[in-house]
Amino acid sequence: MTEKLHAFDRPNSYIGRSVPRPDAHRLMAGRGRFVDDRQLPRMVHAAFLRSPHAHARIGAIRVDPATSLPGVVAVFTAKDLAAHVTPWSGVLTHLQGLRSPHQYPLAVDTARWQGEPVAMVVAESRAIAEDACALIEVDYEPLPVACDMEKALDPDAPVIHAEYGNNLAWERNVEAGDVDAAFARDDVVTIERHFRFNRHTGVTLEARSSLVDFDPSEQTLTYWYSGQAPHMMQAILAKHLDLPEESVRLIAEDVGGSFGIKIHTYGDDIATAAAAMILKRPVKFIADRFESFLSDIHARDHRVNGKLGVTRSGDIVALEIDDLTGIGPYSVYPRTSAIECNQILNLTGAPYRIENYRARGRVVFQNKNVMCQYRAVGHPVAMAVADGLLEEAAHAIGMDVVEIRRKNLIVDDAYPVTTATGMKLDDLSHHKTLDKLIDIMGYQRLREEQTAFQEKGVYRGIGLVSMVEVTNPSPMFYGIGGAPIAAQDGASIRLDAAGALHVAASITEQGQGTNTIIAQIAADVFGTDVDRVKVTTGDTANVPYGGGTWASRGTGIGGEAVLQAALALKAQVLDVAAAILQSEPDKLDIRDSVIVNVNDGTMRLQLAELGKIVYYRGNELPPDVKPELVATRHYRVTDVPFVFTNAAMAAHVEVDIETGFITVLDFWAVEDCGRVINPRLVDEQIRGGIVQGIGGALYEECVYSEDGQLLNASMADYLVPMAAEMPDITIAHIATPSKTSTLGAKGAGEAGTGGAPAALMNAVNDALRPLGARITEQPMTPERVLSCGGLMDS
């Protein structure tokens, strides 16, 4: 006889709650019913059949062989999901002219990149689901491909979306000053270069993961989410699954790395949620590494023509760039795939005094995986182009690369400054960071050693970059364009009866130390030990509304919300303490969890005792004292689109001219990210960013064949930097607090990724210059090094 247990006798039971848990097979609809566990819905697993073609018309899809496999629960095609999911389009209204057709969770009629999901199998295990995928038969009619971005706009190029007539997704032009007149001056030396940046992706330790459960009794969806922006995804799921937003809960706990990869809308994730609703049981999808390479967004695929004019005394007179980028067949929702190009146009040359600037950016569709925002969006390209041209110009006129920067960088006491592209800069320190960089790296000594090594046939180079980093974005970044992306963040802090603080914050933990920073700010501002602070993040049911983690905004925006909430709670506590102690609030303070006198530090009352009086013995309080002991505050940046960080970096490399191998000997970074809250976390964020920048500059590339096949979709073939390739990385700081907040913190998470590729390319070219060779393509692989300037033939 089967034993039956009352639901509420079962330990860890979540029956009757409005919010399910991952062990959702134990859920039931009503309260107090008797349940046989074998009758409850068990979690099932999803796998996806993905297109093997870069461009193909989809004919018949025969799923019967898959559905007959034991253990298969359901098979879905695009038509099966059409009644349950509305399509989306990756456009923003302030990016005028950007176009992208509707996109669905699964390919409809036509597959437009290798790896696009075509069918979904849900089964009792991932292995069964994968076996079933292999049994699905699809009639594909291969179509001509448009893979080369440089040919995508040719009149005879295959058009990916016939309704548009061509493959142009977006174009923007910028014009400031009189560029042609500046270049035409007799005293101007002009440098022109063509740069190639090849696409790569963010290789996170934890792959994209979804676990979704739908409770039909309460019509609620709970989504355990390995991602960065829970409230954004809550809004997206509610909209496209036709649910009230309050009926969707996102939970993003400790996420194993994101780098911007996990902040976008993926068809397989939406399909997983739809399947959970249709089947009324928990569905789990975890991308394996192969499909991560095929379907996680790629980035950085750009071809840039750059032209810089300088006088013979070293003054920049004009800068012109023309950027072409291929984004795959769709603009990614909701942030769009035009932002990277837009950032390049806005940020190229931003640290320098440039009055005459012209830029064109073109974004084109192509039959490759989609591209979108990835750590340091646009910065590696913008910095490498501007500072690459600048160092070439310095050598052309016989000026040291440090001196030409000193001559052209915006001076530290000139702010606020508006750049030629309209970027509002403030609280920066380019000259101070450059001076400190030159000091800590021993610049003159390295130059002397470089000459000595060159005489021995050893080619070493030194490369620099002065850069800005976009951080703490305002609503003018995404919200203004209609995206459900909050620029604000919120924090709620309460004091419990034991005297501990409980903080709920809308920023999320991706491994960068968010929860530590939150606890530290709350403890320091309020006056308690950090061990008495408990932090909750990433759960839309339990934290205030906010943007999450992206664009180096966690401490600058989320941390400011925590600071303001802690100040508000502290004021409440001191009001209560003053009433209990018959004192005045301004005569009291909180130190080490104790109410003390401000003037002499005499201990008056333990926080724990105050908590007990408020919660348990309210009769001891005056009738007019009605404490809440909880405070919520939100913060957003106003008046400016972004708060900028700046940095100066340098790389020291050795190039083996026989093999083309590049060894990074040393790397230095001096960053001004405002007030530094936790030096160790900040330094390691910068180091991690530099490592990622080294990967993009030297190793990482998604290699495609001419017919759109990704050729290196495994960790055996896609190279990432490992410990053996890492140099010593020295970090130093200049601190110029931002005036936009009380905390004064700017972002620090992306500067290393944004600046390292420029410094490395400049260093490699510095090493190759005596040989008359030059490289302007990344990653700078050994083959490319040997082929540049004829080294392979020498």
Side-chain angles (χ1 to χ4, degrees):
M1 180 177 177
T2 302
E3 180 183 8
K4 294 184 178 181
L5 301 176
H6 192 282
F8 295 100
D9 293 335
R10 188 178 294 116
N12 299 320
S13 173
Y14 293 91
I15 294 171
R17 297 190 182 184
S18 61
V19 180
R21 296 287 296 182
D23 54 345
H25 61 273
R26 291 189 178 274
L27 294 172
M28 55 179 273
R31 285 183 171 271
R33 293 170 53 193
F34 290 85
V35 177
D36 183 340
D37 264 4
R38 293 176 302 179
Q39 298 173 0
L40 293 174
R42 303 283 177 170
M43 183 177 74
V44 288
H45 300 261
F48 291 87
L49 177 68
R50 298 177 183 275
S51 171
H53 301 281
H55 200 194
R57 187 170 291 111
I58 300 171
I61 302 177
R62 290 175 287 278
V63 303
D64 289 347
T67 56
S68 63
L69 186 70
V72 170
V73 175
V75 178
F76 298 99
T77 65
K79 292 180 180 178
D80 299 318
L81 296 183
H84 303 276
V85 184
T86 59
W88 55 87
S89 181
V91 297
L92 292 169
T93 58
H94 65 303
L95 299 179
Q96 294 182 1
L98 174 62
R99 59 186 184 177
S100 184
H102 280 156
Q103 190 175 356
Y104 295 81
L106 304 176
V108 178
D109 298 331
T110 303
R112 291 182 170 87
W113 85 86
Q114 180 213 11
E116 184 174 9
V118 173
M120 175 189 190
V121 175
V122 180
E124 293 175 358
S125 72
R126 170 71 184 231
I128 294 173
E130 289 183 353
D131 289 345
C133 283
L135 297 176
I136 298 174
E137 300 173 358
V138 183
D139 292 337
Y140 291 103
E141 179 190 340
L143 298 171
V145 297
C147 289
D148 187 341
M149 73 173 80
E150 295 179 89
K151 298 178 181 178
L153 296 179
D154 290 352
D156 59 348
V159 176
I160 297 173
H161 303 291
E163 63 269 32
Y164 292 156
N166 59 46
N167 292 319
L168 182 67
W170 187 63
E171 180 172 348
R172 180 190 172 200
N173 291 274
V174 178
E175 185 90 28
D178 192 337
V179 175
D180 293 331
F183 280 125
R185 286 170 47 177
D186 292 337
D187 62 337
V188 168
V189 175
T190 300
I191 304 296
E192 295 187 62
R193 298 288 182 264
H194 178 69
F195 298 86
R196 294 175 63 91
F197 302 90
N198 291 301
R199 64 165 55 204
H200 51 284
T201 187
V203 184
T204 59
L205 288 175
E206 177 189 33
R208 286 190 297 110
S209 308
S210 305
L211 198 169
V212 191
D213 185 67
F214 181 70
D215 181 353
S217 68
E218 298 193 13
Q219 292 290 296
T220 57
L221 184 85
T222 303
Y223 189 126
W224 283 267
Y225 164 64
S226 175
Q228 302 171 238
H231 283 106
M232 180 197 81
M233 283 306 300
Q234 179 189 41
I236 287 171
L237 288 166
K239 177 179 180 179
H240 296 286
L241 296 176
D242 193 25
L243 288 168
E245 195 164 321
E246 64 271 17
S247 297
V248 178
R249 179 184 181 186
L250 268 288
I251 302 173
E253 295 180 337
D254 292 340
V255 176
S258 292
F259 313 129
I261 299 300
K262 299 176 181 176
I263 204 165
H264 309 292
T265 302
Y266 291 93
D268 44 27
D269 289 335
I270 302 297
T272 301
M277 291 184 65
I278 295 168
L279 299 174
K280 298 178 174 55
R281 62 194 300 181
V283 181
K284 180 179 182 180
F285 167 65
I286 298 180
D288 63 30
R289 190 61 68 180
F290 175 73
E291 61 189 340
S292 290
F293 278 116
L294 289 177
S295 61
D296 288 2
I297 64 102
H298 296 172
R300 316 266 207 261
D301 206 4
H302 291 262
R303 307 291 179 262
V304 184
N305 291 314
K307 182 178 179 181
L308 182 72
V310 298
T311 65
R312 296 197 176 277
S313 59
D315 294 305
I316 297 174
V317 299
L319 173 63
E320 181 176 4
I321 66 167
D322 189 341
D323 176 40
L324 174 69
T325 180
I327 60 168
Y330 298 97
S331 174
V332 177
Y333 179 69
R335 293 168 186 267
T336 85
S337 299
I339 292 293
E340 187 170 71
C341 174
N342 198 52
Q343 293 277 73
I344 291 168
L345 270 57
N346 285 338
L347 300 179
T348 302
Y352 302 102
R353 293 180 288 104
I354 301 175
E355 295 181 0
N356 304 299
Y357 178 69
R358 177 187 293 147
R360 178 175 69 159
R362 288 172 295 163
V363 176
V364 300
F365 296 119
Q366 58 182 169
N367 292 120
K368 293 182 180 179
N369 184 24
V370 291
M371 287 216 322
C372 203
Q373 281 80 297
Y374 165 50
R375 191 178 191 178
V377 182
H379 294 65
V381 176
M383 305 308 150
V385 169
D387 276 50
L389 291 169
L390 187 67
E391 293 211 354
E392 290 284 332
H395 287 282
I397 63 174
M399 179 177 283
D400 184 85
V401 296
V402 174
E403 293 310 311
I404 200 168
R405 286 185 170 85
R406 285 177 171 152
K407 196 171 184 64
N408 290 283
L409 285 168
I410 299 170
V411 296
D412 295 348
D413 61 358
Y415 298 101
V417 169
T418 300
T419 70
T421 59
M423 294 294 99
K424 297 180 179 180
L425 308 178
D426 204 355
D427 306 319
L428 301 182
S429 57
H430 286 298
H431 288 267
K432 289 179 182 177
T433 53
L434 179 61
D435 290 345
K436 191 163 190 174
L437 176 71
I438 298 309
D439 178 53
I440 65 173
M441 69 184 288
Y443 179 76
Q444 193 57 45
R445 173 185 55 80
L446 288 175
R447 285 298 185 197
E448 293 169 359
E449 291 178 358
Q450 180 186 25
T451 301
F453 274 107
Q454 184 181 323
E455 292 172 354
K456 299 176 183 178
V458 177
Y459 293 89
R460 291 187 170 183
I462 303 161
L464 279 68
V465 62
S466 291
M467 64 168 295
V468 294
E469 176 194 355
V470 167
T471 78
N472 299 2
S474 77
M476 287 181 267
F477 197 10
Y478 286 119
I480 193 175
I485 301 170
Q488 68 165 13
D489 271 298
S492 292
I493 307 182
R494 65 178 174 87
L495 181 73
D496 70 14
L501 292 184
H502 296 261
V503 184
S506 59
I507 52 177
T508 55
E509 177 62 81
Q510 316 291 313
Q512 76 277 47
T514 290
N515 288 9
T516 299
I517 288 289
I518 290 171
Q520 185 178 344
I521 293 172
D524 288 350
V525 171
F526 185 78
T528 190
D529 190 275
V530 72
D531 292 335
R532 302 300 311 280
V533 181
K534 305 302 177 186
V535 176
T536 298
T537 56
D539 185 344
T540 58
N542 290 301
V543 304
Y545 205 94
T549 296
W550 48 276
S552 298
R553 63 190 301 282
T555 301
I557 296 180
E560 179 70 14
V562 173
L563 180 146
Q564 296 298 338
L567 288 173
L569 179 62
K570 183 174 184 177
Q572 289 184 33
V573 170
L574 292 179
D575 283 343
V576 176
I580 295 171
L581 299 172
Q582 297 184 354
S583 180
E584 299 294 332
D586 59 359
K587 294 181 179 179
L588 300 173
D589 197 7
I590 306 173
R591 300 173 189 169
D592 299 324
S593 299
V594 179
I595 309 295
V596 301
N597 289 336
V598 169
N599 57 354
D600 59 10
T602 299
M603 297 193 306
R604 302 290 304 275
L605 183 67
Q606 296 283 340
L607 274 181
E609 181 62 19
L610 182 144
K612 290 178 175 63
I613 291 172
V614 170
Y615 290 115
Y616 306 148
R617 307 195 306 272
N619 58 293
E620 298 179 16
L621 297 172
D624 60 338
V625 175
K626 299 176 181 179
E628 296 180 356
L629 299 193
V630 60
T632 299
R633 293 292 184 271
H634 286 80
Y635 172 75
R636 74 180 190 278
V637 172
T638 59
D639 300 327
V640 293
F642 316 101
V643 174
F644 282 92
T645 289
N646 73 276
M649 301 182 185
H652 184 210
V653 306
E654 182 175 310
V655 181
D656 186 329
I657 64 171
E658 300 296 329
T659 65
F661 278 85
I662 298 167
T663 301
V664 186
L665 303 172
D666 297 285
F667 200 98
W668 302 267
V670 179
E671 179 154 10
D672 186 344
C673 57
R675 182 168 287 112
V676 176
I677 309 302
N678 188 310
R680 178 173 293 182
L681 284 178
V682 170
D683 286 359
E684 296 314 311
Q685 275 284 291
I686 296 170
R687 284 194 177 91
I690 290 168
V691 171
Q692 218 157 8
I694 291 173
L698 300 182
Y699 305 109
E700 298 185 51
E701 180 178 1
C702 297
V703 180
Y704 277 85
S705 66
E706 291 184 356
D707 59 352
Q709 297 293 307
L710 183 59
L711 302 178
N712 60 333
S714 76
M715 294 302 295
D717 301 307
Y718 183 94
L719 301 182
V720 296
M722 306 292 281
E725 286 82 45
M726 290 305 97
D728 288 334
I729 301 174
T730 302
I731 309 294
H733 295 275
I734 298 294
T736 308
S738 171
K739 293 191 289 288
T740 61
S741 67
T742 303
L743 191 62
K746 311 171 193 173
E750 300 176 271
T753 310
L760 287 162
M761 189 170 68
N762 285 339
V764 171
N765 282 324
D766 188 52
L768 296 176
R769 192 166 285 108
L771 301 170
R774 179 190 308 116
I775 186 168
T776 55
E777 181 172 6
Q778 295 185 12
M780 296 177 285
T781 62
E783 181 180 11
R784 287 172 180 149
V785 170
L786 290 176
S787 62
C788 76
L791 288 184
M792 192 176 289
D793 301 325
S794 62

